[in-house]
């Protein structure tokens, strides 16, 4: 891919979400000012009526700041399921139905994003909790084992060799870095990116400070014990001003209002139009300091990242953990 170079100072930002929550719109905000031909395709009202989606698989674009943006197809999507039925899609042996296949593919895409990105933005409908999306994300994190980050893969290494070598490396590091023998029996420490929960298309009521804090509390409770905390907080300006943060427990959390100016945000003595939320979010995302990023183990070039990301997709497709989970839910 010509747009990728031998540059080693880059950041990979991916997006996940259900259908119609505004994933591509958010990625276009992060893309910044580009030509009309270099944007992520947006779903129209006509697409929604006709059960269509624009993004299939994963689309890639690169910003001037060398941020690699990955826009994914909608997860658990009715339009994708409709396409499967319409085209008489082949059903693999490990799946009991097309609905099961849709869930399996959504889980694989989620795992892929968690494995190859430095930051993953989970987009939610701004006025509701996407519990199905949250459950899918939590499941992906909990079954993500023995999947190396892109920098751990050597050239010309086989998929089986990668898996065995990764297990060996993790065990050696655990032996070298612990004084407590009990630590040797802990589960593998997997690479997990920064995860940002973004509530999009919010009403003024949702962005009220009291309701915003309730959303954040719900997030913290649902993902309690799941390794998604971050040292670099991407938060609403109101929460920061109110000093409503907990340095040890904070989940990255942000809200963007509907695409129109809002004269006053309820109960907040400040005018915050749509573009203020968007500009602040983009600045927060592209300015994450290196020490706060969940970086890969070793430096690698953009081209190496792309090559190794392809191998990681093959690892995920063959993952015994995913197949075992799928057999359980069937």
């Amino acid at each position: 891919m010509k747009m990728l170079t031998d540059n080693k100072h880059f950041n990979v930002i991916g997006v996940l979400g259900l259908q119609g929550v505004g994933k591509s719109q958010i990625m276009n905000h992060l893309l910044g000012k580009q030509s009309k031909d270099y944007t992520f395709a947006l779903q129209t009202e006509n697409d929604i009526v006709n059960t269509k989606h624009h993004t299939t698989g994963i689309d890639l674009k690169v910003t001037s700041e060398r941020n690699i943006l990955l826009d994914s197809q909608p997860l658990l999507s009715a339009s994708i399921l409709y396409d499967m039925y319409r085209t008489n899609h082949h059903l693999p042996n490990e799946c009991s139905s097309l609905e099961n296949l849709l869930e399996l593919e959504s889980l694989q895409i989620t795992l892929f994003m968690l494995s190859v990105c430095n930051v993953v933005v989970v987009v939610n409908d701004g006025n509701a909790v996407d519990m199905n999306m949250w459950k899918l994300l939590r499941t992906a994190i909990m079954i993500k084992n023995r999947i190396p980050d892109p920098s751990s893969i050597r050239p010309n290494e086989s998929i089986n060799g990668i898996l065995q070598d990764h297990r060996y490396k993790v065990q050696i590091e655990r032996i070298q870095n612990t004084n407590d023998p009990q630590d040797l029996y802990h589960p593998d420490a997997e690479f997990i990116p920064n995860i940002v929960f973004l509530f999009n298309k919010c009403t003024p009521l949702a962005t009220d400070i009291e309701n915003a804090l309730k959303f954040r509390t719900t997030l913290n409770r649902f993902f309690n014990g799941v390794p998604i905390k971050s040292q670099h907080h991407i938060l609403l300006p109101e929460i920061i001003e109110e000093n409503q943060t907990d340095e040890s427990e904070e989940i990255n959390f942000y809200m963007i209002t509907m695409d129109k100016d809002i004269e006053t945000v309820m109960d907040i003595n400040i005018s915050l139009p749509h573009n203020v939320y968007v500009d602040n979010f983009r600045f927060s995302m592209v300015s994450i300091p290196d020490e706060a990023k969940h970086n890969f183990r070793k430096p690698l070039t953009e081209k190496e990242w792309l090559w190794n990301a392809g191998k990681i997709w093959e690892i995920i497709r063959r993952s015994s953990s995913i197949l075992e989970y799928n057999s359980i839910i069937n």
Side-chain angles (χ1 to χ4, degrees):
M1 189 171 285
K2 293 181 179 180
M3 68 181 73
L4 298 182
T5 69
D6 292 323
N7 167 54
K8 293 186 177 182
H9 303 286
F10 64 96
N11 197 30
V12 186
I13 302 174
V15 66
L16 294 169
L18 304 183
Q19 189 156 354
V21 296
K23 298 182 298 299
S24 298
Q25 179 190 50
I26 295 301
M27 297 310 273
N28 281 334
H29 289 324
L30 297 181
L31 197 56
K33 295 181 179 179
Q34 304 282 346
S35 68
K36 292 183 179 179
D37 295 333
Y38 196 70
T39 57
F40 293 104
L42 300 179
Q43 187 180 42
T44 64
E45 290 185 5
N46 188 55
D47 293 330
I48 297 174
V49 171
N50 292 289
T51 322
K52 293 182 179 179
H53 57 280
H54 274 293
T55 307
T56 300
I58 294 175
D59 288 345
L60 182 153
K61 297 192 185 300
V62 184
T63 71
S64 56
E65 301 96 346
R66 305 314 299 172
N67 287 312
I68 300 174
L69 305 182
L70 303 181
D71 184 17
S72 66
Q73 70 181 41
L75 303 176
L76 306 174
S77 165
S79 65
I80 292 177
L81 182 61
Y82 173 74
D83 282 348
M84 288 179 177
Y85 276 107
R86 183 175 56 84
T87 60
N88 196 23
H89 195 284
H90 170 69
L91 188 66
N93 294 332
E94 61 268 19
C95 295
S96 58
S97 64
L98 290 178
E99 288 81 2
N100 178 221
L101 175 60
L102 175 68
E103 182 177 356
L104 179 62
E105 289 185 352
S106 296
L107 184 59
Q108 290 172 332
I109 289 174
T110 303
L111 274 167
F112 177 75
M113 288 295 205
L114 293 175
S115 301
V116 304
C117 296
N118 303 109
V119 181
V120 172
V121 182
V122 180
V123 183
N124 302 259
D125 185 288
N127 306 297
V129 172
D130 292 333
M131 196 59 70
N132 289 331
M133 179 64 239
W134 291 10
K135 288 180 180 177
L136 181 68
L137 177 64
R138 186 171 63 180
T139 299
I141 294 174
M142 298 307 290
I143 68 173
K144 181 183 182 297
N145 67 27
R146 298 197 295 274
I147 299 177
D149 74 59
S151 69
S152 301
I153 299 175
R154 294 189 296 269
N156 303 320
E157 191 171 14
S158 68
I159 301 300
N160 290 334
I162 292 170
L163 291 172
Q164 294 172 0
D165 188 57
H166 179 62
R167 288 196 293 268
Y168 175 75
K169 283 182 179 178
V170 170
Q171 188 67 14
I172 291 298
E173 288 181 3
R174 192 177 298 148
I175 292 171
Q176 292 175 338
N177 298 330
T178 183
N179 294 320
D180 183 1
Q182 292 300 318
D183 287 344
L184 303 182
Y185 302 98
H186 288 180
D188 288 353
E190 298 294 336
F191 168 80
I192 299 292
N194 279 323
I195 297 178
V196 180
F197 289 90
L198 174 63
F199 291 82
N200 193 30
K201 308 175 187 177
C202 294
T203 63
L205 179 61
T207 54
D208 167 63
I209 185 67
E210 183 177 348
N211 289 323
L213 290 173
K214 287 180 181 177
F215 269 114
R216 191 186 66 170
T217 299
T218 302
L219 269 172
N220 276 290
R221 289 177 177 174
F222 188 88
F223 289 98
N224 183 38
V226 181
I228 61 173
K229 304 297 189 294
S230 174
Q231 295 176 346
H232 181 71
H233 298 161
I234 298 175
L235 298 170
L236 281 172
E238 301 95 310
I239 294 179
I240 296 174
E241 287 184 11
E242 294 287 330
N243 197 27
Q244 299 282 351
T245 63
D246 184 335
E247 292 294 326
S248 62
E249 295 297 327
E250 193 57 63
I251 283 181
N252 285 326
F253 166 82
Y254 201 83
M255 303 177 89
I256 291 180
T257 57
M258 293 181 178
D259 191 5
K260 60 182 178 180
D261 288 349
I262 296 177
E263 295 180 0
T264 307
V265 177
M266 298 177 64
D267 296 332
I268 303 174
N269 235 348
I270 186 170
S271 176
L272 291 174
H274 170 77
N275 66 293
V276 173
Y277 286 100
V278 170
D279 291 345
N280 186 69
F281 179 71
R282 185 179 193 279
F283 176 78
S284 298
M285 292 294 293
V286 302
S287 62
I288 298 177
D290 288 341
E291 62 272 14
K293 292 178 184 175
H294 287 204
N295 286 320
F296 305 127
R297 278 177 192 264
K298 298 179 294 185
L300 75 167
T301 68
E302 296 170 1
K303 291 180 179 178
E304 289 170 338
W305 169 85
L306 180 64
W307 179 263
N308 292 345
K311 289 192 174 183
I312 287 177
W313 176 247
E314 287 301 313
I315 291 173
I316 290 171
R317 288 182 64 247
R318 301 185 192 184
S319 170
S320 59
S321 298
I322 299 178
L323 296 179
E324 288 171 8
Y325 169 78
N326 191 59
S327 66
I328 290 173
I329 64 175
N330 280 329

